[in-house]
Amino acid sequence: MQRNFVKKHTEQTPRGQQSIVKEKNTLLPYLLELLMPQSKTAVKALLRRGQVWVNGTPITHFNTPLNPGDKILISHEKGHVTFNHPQMKIVWEDNDLIVVDKKEGLLSVSDSPSQEHTAYFLLSQYVKKINPRNKIFILHRLDKGTSGLMMFARNKNIQEYLRANWHKMITRRSYIAVTEGVPEKNEDTIITYLAENNRMKVYCTDPQYGKEAVSRYRALKNNTKYTLIELDLETGRKNQIRAQMEHIGNPVAGDSKYGAKTDPAGRLMLHATRLFFVHPATGEEMRFETPIPKQFRDLVK
């Protein structure tokens, strides 16, 4: 069974004191009786901080009606926490995974001790606000200049399972790029072998020296200077698209490291537009898509 999940965000139920409503009531009187001898002010503070959940949803309205069988949870954690950052938004979250849409200019993760301006750091801070014991785990990376979809694991077991079965679990990864010039073929499969030099640049080499990298592309639109192309990755090597597009003579616009001569938008013109994968806990195919950035479309009018 396949299901589409686009920009859906679920809450993770916290731990805390639970009870079941036995007769009709409203929330504040019910809580005052349940939490005696706490004061009315203290109970209202719990509501205000989003620490009261009714049937799995955080509630802040004191006059919410209650019916027999309703499940009440008083969280011992810090209440309902929303994620808000100008360079990244969460498009899906459950107990196992977080999928985000990252803007260009934000590192996925840093190998240096200072990681404060990375997607990993921002999400780590977010999940710890929900519960100080929470962690996130890296699954893959996007270059700093690349925008679009990426995901993180919520626990070590999910990380290890996905990494061990990555090619089976990831059913589609698509990118949109603006390249310099017009590729010789309107669509093609690029098969190269990639290695990395001591200047940390990935390059195409002979099979005995590099790892196989396979990308399929098709041109969507072009003008005399640029081509808007869609690429599907069959392998996920570091800087794969950037190195391969330089190799065929059509580097990604804005990518001076990989041969680009122009920078028309002040950014690397590469965007992770689709991420499809089999959810490791449910076995369902999850499908996430983001639109082509407007500046990409505007450049190839």
Side-chain angles (χ1 to χ4, degrees):
M1 177 181 178
Q2 295 184 354
R3 295 171 61 189
N4 281 342
F5 293 91
V6 182
K7 296 186 179 180
K8 184 176 179 183
H9 182 200
T10 64
E11 298 290 347
Q12 184 178 16
T13 304
R15 298 178 182 178
Q17 178 182 347
Q18 300 184 47
S19 67
I20 296 178
V21 176
K22 292 186 170 53
E23 57 187 34
K24 282 199 168 199
N25 206 335
T26 53
L27 188 55
L28 184 58
Y30 180 86
L31 293 174
L32 289 171
E33 183 176 351
L34 178 69
L35 298 174
M36 286 180 61
Q38 289 195 40
S39 69
K40 190 174 184 178
T41 299
V43 172
K44 282 188 172 182
L46 291 173
L47 282 165
R48 188 174 59 252
R49 292 194 299 265
Q51 289 180 253
V52 178
W53 295 56
V54 179
N55 297 325
T57 302
I59 299 294
T60 57
H61 300 295
F62 67 89
N63 59 349
T64 299
L66 300 178
N67 295 300
D70 285 346
K71 297 178 181 178
I72 308 298
L73 183 143
I74 314 299
S75 172
H76 299 319
E77 299 168 6
K78 291 189 176 181
H80 178 60
V81 177
T82 57
F83 181 85
N84 185 23
H85 193 274
Q87 287 187 288
M88 186 170 65
K89 61 182 175 181
I90 293 176
V91 297
W92 170 266
E93 179 183 10
D94 61 19
N95 291 339
D96 303 298
L97 297 167
I98 298 179
V99 179
V100 301
D101 185 2
K102 172 185 97 65
K103 287 191 175 182
E104 76 280 0
L106 180 67
L107 280 169
S108 299
V109 63
S110 174
D111 294 323
S112 68
S114 176
Q115 297 195 25
E116 291 191 8
H117 195 62
T118 66
Y120 174 79
F121 177 84
L122 294 172
L123 289 177
S124 293
Q125 294 297 105
Y126 162 66
V127 300
K128 287 182 184 300
K129 286 180 182 177
I130 299 171
N131 185 330
R133 295 168 295 183
N134 285 344
K135 296 179 180 180
I136 61 166
F137 299 86
I138 299 161
L139 291 170
H140 64 119
R141 304 185 185 203
L142 290 180
D143 294 332
K144 180 179 179 180
T146 302
S147 54
L149 296 166
M150 63 181 302
M151 64 175 171
F152 294 83
R154 295 292 297 267
N155 61 74
K156 189 69 174 174
N157 289 339
I158 290 293
Q159 181 199 41
E160 291 176 350
Y161 182 80
L162 277 172
R163 283 188 163 181
N165 299 279
W166 189 256
H167 296 297
K168 180 175 69 174
M169 304 298 284
I170 304 301
T171 55
R172 188 173 185 184
R173 287 177 71 189
S174 300
Y175 288 74
I176 294 292
V178 175
T179 64
E180 293 184 341
V182 180
E184 183 178 334
K185 297 180 180 179
N186 193 56
E187 57 183 271
D188 199 9
T189 298
I190 306 173
I191 303 174
T192 61
Y193 296 85
L194 301 181
E196 186 174 0
N197 63 27
N198 56 13
R199 298 188 303 278
M200 299 182 69
K201 181 179 177 181
V202 175
Y203 62 97
C204 298
T205 185
D206 295 328
Q208 63 265 38
Y209 301 120
K211 295 180 179 179
E212 185 180 53
V214 182
S215 304
R216 291 179 286 108
Y217 79 84
R218 66 185 181 100
L220 303 177
K221 194 174 182 181
N222 64 66
N223 55 31
T224 56
K225 291 186 66 177
Y226 299 105
T227 302
L228 184 70
I229 65 171
E230 180 181 64
L231 301 106
D232 282 289
L233 301 188
E234 293 187 13
T235 57
R237 308 297 182 198
K238 178 182 178 181
N239 292 173
Q240 175 173 321
I241 292 172
R242 299 167 66 184
Q244 288 186 327
M245 296 316 295
E246 179 186 34
H247 179 70
I248 68 170
N250 300 100
V252 176
D255 194 4
S256 58
K257 183 176 181 179
Y258 286 88
K261 301 295 191 295
T262 64
D263 186 12
R267 61 158 293 184
L268 175 69
M269 300 202 76
L270 185 60
H271 177 75
T273 192
R274 292 191 190 93
L275 178 60
F276 296 1
F277 59 90
V278 178
H279 196 291
T282 67
E284 294 176 310
E285 186 179 51
M286 313 284 284
R287 296 185 173 190
F288 299 93
E289 299 188 40
T290 60
I292 298 172
K294 183 177 183 296
Q295 58 193 159
F296 286 36
R297 290 186 277 108
D298 287 347
L299 194 62
V300 194
K301 283 184 175 177

mmCIF file of all heavy atoms in Angstrom, residues 189-195 202-207 210-215 235 237 239-248:
data_model
loop_
_atom_site.group_PDB
_atom_site.id
_atom_site.type_symbol
_atom_site.label_atom_id
_atom_site.label_comp_id
_atom_site.label_asym_id
_atom_site.label_seq_id
_atom_site.Cartn_x
_atom_site.Cartn_y
_atom_site.Cartn_z
ATOM 1 N N THR A 189 21.266 8.682 -18.852
ATOM 2 C CA THR A 189 21.748 8.122 -17.595
ATOM 3 C C THR A 189 23.250 8.341 -17.538
ATOM 4 O O THR A 189 23.973 7.960 -18.475
ATOM 5 C CB THR A 189 21.433 6.620 -17.492
ATOM 6 O OG1 THR A 189 20.017 6.430 -17.517
ATOM 7 C CG2 THR A 189 21.986 6.041 -16.191
ATOM 8 N N ILE A 190 23.699 8.981 -16.482
ATOM 9 C CA ILE A 190 25.134 9.251 -16.311
ATOM 10 C C ILE A 190 25.699 8.209 -15.352
ATOM 11 O O ILE A 190 25.247 8.085 -14.214
ATOM 12 C CB ILE A 190 25.380 10.658 -15.748
ATOM 13 C CG1 ILE A 190 24.688 11.725 -16.590
ATOM 14 C CG2 ILE A 190 26.883 10.940 -15.660
ATOM 15 C CD1 ILE A 190 24.755 13.113 -15.972
ATOM 16 N N ILE A 191 26.685 7.461 -15.827
ATOM 17 C CA ILE A 191 27.368 6.469 -14.985
ATOM 18 C C ILE A 191 28.843 6.848 -14.939
ATOM 19 O O ILE A 191 29.520 6.867 -15.970
ATOM 20 C CB ILE A 191 27.203 5.045 -15.531
ATOM 21 C CG1 ILE A 191 25.715 4.682 -15.654
ATOM 22 C CG2 ILE A 191 27.913 4.039 -14.625
ATOM 23 C CD1 ILE A 191 25.455 3.346 -16.325
ATOM 24 N N THR A 192 29.320 7.192 -13.760
ATOM 25 C CA THR A 192 30.728 7.545 -13.585
ATOM 26 C C THR A 192 31.251 6.874 -12.324
ATOM 27 O O THR A 192 30.494 6.246 -11.566
ATOM 28 C CB THR A 192 30.924 9.070 -13.465
ATOM 29 O OG1 THR A 192 30.206 9.532 -12.307
ATOM 30 C CG2 THR A 192 30.413 9.801 -14.700
ATOM 31 N N TYR A 193 32.536 7.058 -12.078
ATOM 32 C CA TYR A 193 33.172 6.547 -10.863
ATOM 33 C C TYR A 193 33.815 7.737 -10.149
ATOM 34 O O TYR A 193 34.588 8.489 -10.747
ATOM 35 C CB TYR A 193 34.194 5.466 -11.207
ATOM 36 C CG TYR A 193 33.518 4.265 -11.832
ATOM 37 C CD1 TYR A 193 33.263 4.242 -13.202
ATOM 38 C CD2 TYR A 193 33.066 3.213 -11.048
ATOM 39 C CE1 TYR A 193 32.593 3.172 -13.774
ATOM 40 C CE2 TYR A 193 32.401 2.132 -11.607
ATOM 41 C CZ TYR A 193 32.158 2.126 -12.968
ATOM 42 O OH TYR A 193 31.477 1.064 -13.536
ATOM 43 N N LEU A 194 33.431 7.927 -8.885
ATOM 44 C CA LEU A 194 33.806 9.142 -8.158
ATOM 45 C C LEU A 194 34.846 8.870 -7.081
ATOM 46 O O LEU A 194 34.772 7.868 -6.366
ATOM 47 C CB LEU A 194 32.565 9.769 -7.519
ATOM 48 C CG LEU A 194 31.422 10.173 -8.464
ATOM 49 C CD1 LEU A 194 30.282 10.803 -7.672
ATOM 50 C CD2 LEU A 194 31.911 11.127 -9.550
ATOM 51 N N ALA A 195 35.785 9.791 -6.978
ATOM 52 C CA ALA A 195 36.777 9.786 -5.896
ATOM 53 C C ALA A 195 36.902 11.222 -5.396
ATOM 54 O O ALA A 195 36.363 12.153 -5.987
ATOM 55 C CB ALA A 195 38.116 9.256 -6.402
ATOM 56 N N VAL A 202 35.240 16.258 -5.239
ATOM 57 C CA VAL A 202 34.899 14.968 -5.839
ATOM 58 C C VAL A 202 35.090 15.076 -7.347
ATOM 59 O O VAL A 202 34.745 16.095 -7.959
ATOM 60 C CB VAL A 202 33.456 14.586 -5.489
ATOM 61 C CG1 VAL A 202 33.043 13.301 -6.195
ATOM 62 C CG2 VAL A 202 33.298 14.427 -3.975
ATOM 63 N N TYR A 203 35.657 14.023 -7.954
ATOM 64 C CA TYR A 203 35.904 14.057 -9.393
ATOM 65 C C TYR A 203 35.645 12.682 -9.998
ATOM 66 O O TYR A 203 35.630 11.655 -9.289
ATOM 67 C CB TYR A 203 37.334 14.510 -9.692
ATOM 68 C CG TYR A 203 38.405 13.587 -9.150
ATOM 69 C CD1 TYR A 203 39.001 12.612 -9.949
ATOM 70 C CD2 TYR A 203 38.821 13.684 -7.820
ATOM 71 C CE1 TYR A 203 39.971 11.760 -9.450
ATOM 72 C CE2 TYR A 203 39.784 12.839 -7.306
ATOM 73 C CZ TYR A 203 40.363 11.884 -8.125
ATOM 74 O OH TYR A 203 41.315 11.034 -7.619
ATOM 75 N N CYS A 204 35.436 12.656 -11.303
ATOM 76 C CA CYS A 204 35.187 11.406 -12.020
ATOM 77 C C CYS A 204 36.519 10.787 -12.419
ATOM 78 O O CYS A 204 37.415 11.480 -12.911
ATOM 79 C CB CYS A 204 34.330 11.664 -13.260
ATOM 80 S SG CYS A 204 32.703 12.340 -12.875
ATOM 81 N N THR A 205 36.633 9.483 -12.226
ATOM 82 C CA THR A 205 37.897 8.809 -12.466
ATOM 83 C C THR A 205 37.646 7.420 -13.041
ATOM 84 O O THR A 205 36.511 7.072 -13.407
ATOM 85 C CB THR A 205 38.710 8.741 -11.157
ATOM 86 O OG1 THR A 205 39.993 8.176 -11.417
ATOM 87 C CG2 THR A 205 37.989 7.911 -10.096
ATOM 88 N N ASP A 206 38.689 6.600 -13.114
ATOM 89 C CA ASP A 206 38.560 5.238 -13.637
ATOM 90 C C ASP A 206 37.902 4.328 -12.599
ATOM 91 O O ASP A 206 38.000 4.573 -11.386
ATOM 92 C CB ASP A 206 39.938 4.681 -13.993
ATOM 93 C CG ASP A 206 40.589 5.457 -15.134
ATOM 94 O OD1 ASP A 206 39.847 5.954 -16.002
ATOM 95 O OD2 ASP A 206 41.834 5.558 -15.137
ATOM 96 N N PRO A 207 37.260 3.246 -13.075
ATOM 97 C CA PRO A 207 36.541 2.353 -12.147
ATOM 98 C C PRO A 207 37.397 1.817 -11.010
ATOM 99 O O PRO A 207 36.913 1.644 -9.888
ATOM 100 C CB PRO A 207 36.060 1.220 -13.062
ATOM 101 C CG PRO A 207 35.945 1.853 -14.415
ATOM 102 C CD PRO A 207 37.045 2.865 -14.486
ATOM 103 N N GLY A 210 37.556 4.721 -8.199
ATOM 104 C CA GLY A 210 36.397 5.405 -7.647
ATOM 105 C C GLY A 210 35.212 4.489 -7.413
ATOM 106 O O GLY A 210 35.233 3.300 -7.758
ATOM 107 N N LYS A 211 34.164 5.052 -6.806
ATOM 108 C CA LYS A 211 32.934 4.320 -6.537
ATOM 109 C C LYS A 211 31.887 4.685 -7.591
ATOM 110 O O LYS A 211 31.747 5.846 -7.979
ATOM 111 C CB LYS A 211 32.406 4.664 -5.140
ATOM 112 C CG LYS A 211 33.328 4.213 -4.016
ATOM 113 C CD LYS A 211 32.750 4.581 -2.650
ATOM 114 C CE LYS A 211 33.662 4.109 -1.532
ATOM 115 N NZ LYS A 211 33.129 4.475 -0.197
ATOM 116 N N GLU A 212 31.135 3.684 -8.020
ATOM 117 C CA GLU A 212 30.154 3.908 -9.078
ATOM 118 C C GLU A 212 29.072 4.886 -8.629
ATOM 119 O O GLU A 212 28.556 4.805 -7.512
ATOM 120 C CB GLU A 212 29.495 2.589 -9.487
ATOM 121 C CG GLU A 212 28.548 2.757 -10.675
ATOM 122 C CD GLU A 212 27.881 1.458 -11.085
ATOM 123 O OE1 GLU A 212 27.277 0.796 -10.197
ATOM 124 O OE2 GLU A 212 27.955 1.098 -12.271
ATOM 125 N N ALA A 213 28.732 5.809 -9.514
ATOM 126 C CA ALA A 213 27.669 6.781 -9.267
ATOM 127 C C ALA A 213 26.754 6.813 -10.483
ATOM 128 O O ALA A 213 27.232 6.942 -11.612
ATOM 129 C CB ALA A 213 28.247 8.165 -9.009
ATOM 130 N N VAL A 214 25.439 6.687 -10.240
ATOM 131 C CA VAL A 214 24.470 6.612 -11.336
ATOM 132 C C VAL A 214 23.377 7.658 -11.112
ATOM 133 O O VAL A 214 22.736 7.679 -10.051
ATOM 134 C CB VAL A 214 23.832 5.210 -11.448
ATOM 135 C CG1 VAL A 214 22.873 5.151 -12.638
ATOM 136 C CG2 VAL A 214 24.908 4.134 -11.565
ATOM 137 N N SER A 215 23.188 8.524 -12.097
ATOM 138 C CA SER A 215 22.126 9.532 -12.071
ATOM 139 C C SER A 215 21.384 9.492 -13.401
ATOM 140 O O SER A 215 22.003 9.339 -14.459
ATOM 141 C CB SER A 215 22.690 10.946 -11.874
ATOM 142 O OG SER A 215 23.478 11.040 -10.717
ATOM 143 N N THR A 235 22.294 6.165 -7.041
ATOM 144 C CA THR A 235 23.268 6.058 -5.941
ATOM 145 C C THR A 235 23.308 7.425 -5.264
ATOM 146 O O THR A 235 22.838 8.408 -5.814
ATOM 147 C CB THR A 235 24.672 5.707 -6.473
ATOM 148 O OG1 THR A 235 25.067 6.699 -7.427
ATOM 149 C CG2 THR A 235 24.681 4.337 -7.132
ATOM 150 N N ARG A 237 26.180 9.253 -3.825
ATOM 151 C CA ARG A 237 27.557 9.621 -3.479
ATOM 152 C C ARG A 237 27.667 11.098 -3.115
ATOM 153 O O ARG A 237 26.865 11.921 -3.557
ATOM 154 C CB ARG A 237 28.493 9.330 -4.647
ATOM 155 C CG ARG A 237 28.417 7.932 -5.211
ATOM 156 C CD ARG A 237 28.830 6.889 -4.208
ATOM 157 N NE ARG A 237 28.784 5.558 -4.805
ATOM 158 C CZ ARG A 237 28.762 4.429 -4.107
ATOM 159 N NH1 ARG A 237 28.789 4.473 -2.785
ATOM 160 N NH2 ARG A 237 28.713 3.266 -4.719
ATOM 161 N N ASN A 239 28.443 14.795 -3.336
ATOM 162 C CA ASN A 239 28.582 15.742 -4.457
ATOM 163 C C ASN A 239 28.381 15.082 -5.817
ATOM 164 O O ASN A 239 28.924 15.535 -6.833
ATOM 165 C CB ASN A 239 29.945 16.440 -4.418
ATOM 166 C CG ASN A 239 30.109 17.379 -3.234
ATOM 167 O OD1 ASN A 239 31.180 17.898 -3.004
ATOM 168 N ND2 ASN A 239 29.061 17.605 -2.466
ATOM 169 N N GLN A 240 27.587 14.029 -5.864
ATOM 170 C CA GLN A 240 27.415 13.248 -7.090
ATOM 171 C C GLN A 240 26.923 14.091 -8.267
ATOM 172 O O GLN A 240 27.516 14.078 -9.349
ATOM 173 C CB GLN A 240 26.436 12.103 -6.830
ATOM 174 C CG GLN A 240 26.074 11.293 -8.063
ATOM 175 C CD GLN A 240 25.242 10.074 -7.723
ATOM 176 O OE1 GLN A 240 25.490 9.412 -6.719
ATOM 177 N NE2 GLN A 240 24.250 9.757 -8.550
ATOM 178 N N ILE A 241 25.832 14.831 -8.065
ATOM 179 C CA ILE A 241 25.257 15.623 -9.156
ATOM 180 C C ILE A 241 26.239 16.697 -9.603
ATOM 181 O O ILE A 241 26.460 16.902 -10.811
ATOM 182 C CB ILE A 241 23.926 16.249 -8.721
ATOM 183 C CG1 ILE A 241 22.861 15.158 -8.532
ATOM 184 C CG2 ILE A 241 23.451 17.285 -9.738
ATOM 185 C CD1 ILE A 241 21.562 15.666 -7.922
ATOM 186 N N ARG A 242 26.838 17.370 -8.663
ATOM 187 C CA ARG A 242 27.744 18.474 -8.991
ATOM 188 C C ARG A 242 28.938 17.981 -9.806
ATOM 189 O O ARG A 242 29.319 18.600 -10.812
ATOM 190 C CB ARG A 242 28.201 19.154 -7.704
ATOM 191 C CG ARG A 242 27.050 19.761 -6.907
ATOM 192 C CD ARG A 242 27.457 20.154 -5.492
ATOM 193 N NE ARG A 242 28.435 21.248 -5.520
ATOM 194 C CZ ARG A 242 29.020 21.723 -4.426
ATOM 195 N NH1 ARG A 242 28.738 21.201 -3.231
ATOM 196 N NH2 ARG A 242 29.885 22.719 -4.517
ATOM 197 N N ALA A 243 29.531 16.863 -9.404
ATOM 198 C CA ALA A 243 30.688 16.321 -10.123
ATOM 199 C C ALA A 243 30.283 15.792 -11.497
ATOM 200 O O ALA A 243 31.006 15.987 -12.486
ATOM 201 C CB ALA A 243 31.342 15.221 -9.297
ATOM 202 N N GLN A 244 29.150 15.126 -11.589
ATOM 203 C CA GLN A 244 28.738 14.544 -12.866
ATOM 204 C C GLN A 244 28.330 15.611 -13.880
ATOM 205 O O GLN A 244 28.623 15.486 -15.075
ATOM 206 C CB GLN A 244 27.599 13.548 -12.652
ATOM 207 C CG GLN A 244 28.056 12.263 -11.989
ATOM 208 C CD GLN A 244 26.952 11.232 -11.914
ATOM 209 O OE1 GLN A 244 25.781 11.558 -11.773
ATOM 210 N NE2 GLN A 244 27.332 9.962 -12.009
ATOM 211 N N MET A 245 27.668 16.672 -13.422
ATOM 212 C CA MET A 245 27.282 17.730 -14.358
ATOM 213 C C MET A 245 28.517 18.481 -14.861
ATOM 214 O O MET A 245 28.572 18.882 -16.029
ATOM 215 C CB MET A 245 26.279 18.681 -13.710
ATOM 216 C CG MET A 245 24.948 18.033 -13.341
ATOM 217 S SD MET A 245 24.248 16.922 -14.599
ATOM 218 C CE MET A 245 23.925 18.074 -15.943
ATOM 219 N N GLU A 246 29.513 18.656 -14.014
ATOM 220 C CA GLU A 246 30.768 19.229 -14.499
ATOM 221 C C GLU A 246 31.396 18.292 -15.522
ATOM 222 O O GLU A 246 31.916 18.737 -16.563
ATOM 223 C CB GLU A 246 31.729 19.458 -13.333
ATOM 224 C CG GLU A 246 33.067 20.045 -13.786
ATOM 225 C CD GLU A 246 34.094 20.138 -12.677
ATOM 226 O OE1 GLU A 246 34.108 19.253 -11.790
ATOM 227 O OE2 GLU A 246 34.901 21.095 -12.695
ATOM 228 N N HIS A 247 31.325 16.995 -15.269
ATOM 229 C CA HIS A 247 31.948 15.998 -16.140
ATOM 230 C C HIS A 247 31.361 16.029 -17.546
ATOM 231 O O HIS A 247 32.096 15.868 -18.533
ATOM 232 C CB HIS A 247 31.761 14.612 -15.521
ATOM 233 C CG HIS A 247 32.326 13.494 -16.329
ATOM 234 N ND1 HIS A 247 33.685 13.288 -16.493
ATOM 235 C CD2 HIS A 247 31.708 12.501 -17.052
ATOM 236 C CE1 HIS A 247 33.881 12.234 -17.253
ATOM 237 N NE2 HIS A 247 32.707 11.735 -17.610
ATOM 238 N N ILE A 248 30.052 16.252 -17.684
ATOM 239 C CA ILE A 248 29.443 16.263 -19.018
ATOM 240 C C ILE A 248 29.466 17.660 -19.646
ATOM 241 O O ILE A 248 28.945 17.862 -20.752
ATOM 242 C CB ILE A 248 28.006 15.698 -19.008
ATOM 243 C CG1 ILE A 248 27.043 16.632 -18.257
ATOM 244 C CG2 ILE A 248 27.979 14.286 -18.437
ATOM 245 C CD1 ILE A 248 25.573 16.244 -18.430
#
